[in-house]
């Protein structure tokens, strides 16, 4: 029997495409979303879809010379809604979706593919300047301000003689005032590094033993609270980012899920303690994090150390036989989301009863 008191994950609409889908994002304050990917001939796809009368209709369809890997609206104002993209040739570009002929901004950001991108300071989320961060196979993580042409405002790269690891994921956090801001980066060897952009220093690093597919803070615009890291070998970790122990760092819990690579984690915009994980087996798992009665305690030396909470699986569903490559909650409609999978299908999902959690 279905327990109807629990949240349900419902497939609302789906659309097949003729290219490989890598990313999808809701266009803020609209019923539209953008899908990014690459055609088999190596060119890039930007498509804009709209939900109308319960179906998904295509609004714009543009092909570009280079394949797209990732995109974000995070550094754009709500008025402009400019999309920043990273492509397979290492280019960072910013697009006005009304006129997609030429990018508003273009920089050769990396020597190799841009795997991941995040934005902050736009959309009324987070304090301070609008900035983008990119991570690449070339091992570098770069922070960009679109008002500054061609040169990054910060570059985090391996030192002399160090191995260049493939950076798979980047995320902004701690952007709660005009000075504070940090970037978390995850690498193919299991490294997680936290860079403090205010002091331009490495604040913390750890290794979770498996390649880090996704990092996301539960909120970008608050003092660091929680960080979710998803990895190969069907695991994810939730770090409590409130208390940093001098030697042990941040406390975390580890959970097994999906029986395959956990590709992504995405927090519900309206409730930071609810998040979806996306699996290599085409499954979606909805989780709720519960805090412990006390989030820190004193260790034997009298130092504060964090205490991890627990996660509960609220619901799970398998939508595809292929990995889910991207997922985005609607910032405007609670429970509405869009995801893409490697079966070349875009799916619009509705999650019910999220307001009761």
């Amino acid at each position: 029997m279905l327990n109807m008191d629990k949240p349900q994950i419902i497939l609302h609409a789906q659309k097949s495409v003729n290219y490989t889908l890598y990313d999808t994002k809701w266009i803020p304050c609209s019923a539209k979303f953008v899908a990014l990917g690459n055609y088999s001939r190596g060119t890039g796809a930007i498509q804009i879809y709209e939900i109308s009368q319960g179906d998904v209709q295509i609004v714009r369809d543009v092909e570009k010379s280079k394949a797209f890997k990732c995109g974000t609206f995070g550094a754009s104002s709500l008025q402009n809604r400019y999309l920043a993209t990273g492509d397979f040739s290492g280019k960072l570009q910013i697009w006005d979706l009304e006129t997609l002929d030429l990018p508003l901004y273009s920089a050769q950001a990396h020597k190799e593919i841009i795997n991941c991108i995040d934005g902050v300071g736009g959309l009324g989320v987070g304090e301070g300047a609008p900035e983008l961060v990119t991570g690449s196979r070339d091992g570098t993580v770069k922070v960009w301000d679109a008002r500054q042409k061609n040169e990054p405002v910060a570059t985090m790269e391996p030192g002399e003689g160090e191995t260049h690891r493939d950076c798979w994921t980047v995320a902004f956090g701690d952007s709660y005032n005009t000075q504070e801001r940090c970037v978390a980066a995850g690498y193919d060897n299991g490294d997680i590094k936290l860079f403090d952009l205010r002091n331009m220093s490495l604040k913390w690093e750890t290794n979770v033993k498996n390649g880090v597919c996704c990092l996301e803070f539960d909120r970008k615009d608050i003092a660091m609270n929680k960080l979710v890291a998803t990895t190969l070998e069907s695991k994810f970790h939730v770090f409590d980012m409130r208390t940093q122990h001098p030697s042990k760092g941040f406390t975390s819990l580890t959970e097994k899920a999906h029986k395959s690579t956990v590709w992504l984690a995405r927090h519900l915009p309206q409730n930071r303690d609810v998040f979806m994980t996306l699996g290599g087996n085409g499954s979606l798992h909805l989780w709720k994090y519960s805090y412990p009665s006390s989030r820190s305690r004193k260790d034997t030396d009298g130092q504060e150390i964090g205490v991890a909470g627990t996660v509960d699986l609220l619901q799970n569903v398998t939508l595809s036989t292929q990995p889910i490559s991207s997922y985005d909650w609607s910032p405007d409609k609670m429970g509405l989301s869009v995801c893409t999978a490697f079966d070349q299908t875009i799916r619009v999902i509705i999650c019910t009863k999220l307001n009761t959690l």
Side-chain angles (χ1 to χ4, degrees):
M1 279 290 290
L2 268 177
N3 180 358
M4 297 308 287
D5 296 336
K6 291 196 334 186
Q8 303 299 318
I9 302 172
I10 299 159
L11 177 61
H12 175 63
Q14 61 183 31
K15 200 86 173 172
S16 291
V17 298
N18 62 340
Y19 61 93
T20 303
L21 291 152
Y22 282 112
D23 207 356
T24 182
K25 289 285 183 287
W26 287 100
I27 300 172
C29 306
S30 78
K32 298 189 181 100
F33 59 86
V34 61
L36 300 170
N38 81 309
Y39 290 102
S40 54
R41 50 190 171 271
T43 54
I46 298 185
Q47 292 186 328
I48 299 171
Y49 289 90
E50 183 168 27
I51 297 179
S52 65
Q53 277 123 29
D55 198 16
V56 179
Q57 310 286 348
I58 189 156
V59 181
R60 291 288 300 277
D61 186 0
V62 179
E63 189 172 350
K64 293 293 175 187
S65 60
K66 292 289 187 289
F68 294 105
K69 180 64 172 66
C70 49
T72 180
F73 288 99
S76 170
S77 70
L78 279 172
Q79 288 75 33
N80 295 331
R81 300 186 288 188
Y82 293 154
L83 175 71
T85 59
D87 74 15
F88 275 59
S89 69
K91 265 207 176 73
L92 168 65
Q93 294 173 310
I94 297 175
W95 305 87
D96 181 345
L97 296 180
E98 302 297 321
T99 55
L100 282 165
D101 305 336
L102 289 168
L104 302 167
Y105 172 96
S106 183
Q108 187 62 49
H110 294 271
K111 297 189 194 77
E112 296 186 63
I113 182 174
I114 297 176
N115 288 321
C116 46
I117 190 168
D118 195 20
V120 73
L123 309 181
V125 175
E127 300 282 338
E131 286 181 332
L132 296 160
V133 60
T134 53
S136 166
R137 189 185 289 160
D138 66 13
T140 61
V141 173
K142 296 183 181 181
V143 179
W144 305 85
D145 185 328
R147 300 167 300 183
Q148 180 175 312
K149 203 74 177 141
N150 293 331
E151 290 300 315
V153 292
T155 301
M156 288 72 89
E157 58 189 336
E160 282 289 316
E162 287 185 32
T163 315
H164 284 243
R165 303 305 318 196
D166 194 348
C167 178
W168 284 354
T169 175
V170 287
F172 276 118
D174 213 27
S175 182
Y176 63 93
N177 65 25
T178 52
Q179 282 84 40
E180 299 291 337
R181 188 167 286 177
C182 71
V183 165
Y187 299 84
D188 65 338
N189 64 340
D191 282 350
I192 297 173
K193 296 179 191 282
L194 185 67
F195 302 103
D196 183 335
L197 296 182
R198 181 183 179 181
N199 301 316
M200 290 311 298
S201 61
L202 181 66
K203 185 178 171 70
W204 168 72
E205 62 181 327
T206 189
N207 186 286
V208 291
K209 298 190 174 61
N210 292 114
V212 183
C213 303
C214 175
L215 291 171
E216 189 177 73
F217 287 96
D218 55 354
R219 283 287 176 277
K220 296 175 191 180
D221 57 340
I222 58 173
M224 286 192 301
N225 186 51
K226 298 194 304 294
L227 175 70
V228 172
T230 73
T231 70
L232 307 176
E233 304 281 334
S234 58
K235 282 198 187 84
F236 69 86
H237 310 263
V238 185
F239 292 89
D240 186 302
M241 304 299 285
R242 280 289 160 92
T243 311
Q244 185 175 5
H245 187 273
S247 60
K248 292 177 181 162
F250 297 102
T251 304
S252 69
L253 69 86
T254 303
E255 187 75 26
K256 285 193 79 90
H258 297 281
K259 297 186 178 148
S260 65
T261 296
V262 188
W263 279 68
L264 289 167
R266 291 286 179 255
H267 289 85
L268 183 67
Q270 298 84 359
N271 182 348
R272 69 185 186 202
D273 299 326
V274 175
F275 61 97
M276 189 78 82
T277 57
L278 296 310
N281 60 356
S283 60
L284 281 68
H285 286 194
L286 184 68
W287 304 86
K288 183 166 196 287
Y289 184 90
S290 300
Y291 296 98
S293 53
S294 172
R295 291 184 63 178
S296 67
R297 61 178 174 82
K298 293 258 195 306
D299 69 1
T300 48
D301 300 329
Q303 300 275 9
E304 286 283 322
I305 187 168
V307 178
T310 56
V311 286
D312 293 307
L313 181 62
L314 301 174
Q315 192 56 268
N316 64 295
V317 65
T318 299
L319 288 180
S320 169
T321 55
Q322 298 292 319
I324 307 283
S325 53
S326 69
Y327 186 93
D328 197 36
W329 292 105
S330 165
D332 308 306
K333 282 266 183 243
M334 187 166 178
L336 182 65
S337 61
V338 60
C339 71
T340 63
F342 286 148
D343 61 1
Q344 298 192 333
T345 306
I346 300 167
R347 293 173 174 86
V348 176
I349 313 289
I350 294 171
C351 293
T352 65
K353 295 200 160 53
L354 294 178
N355 57 343
T356 64
L357 298 176

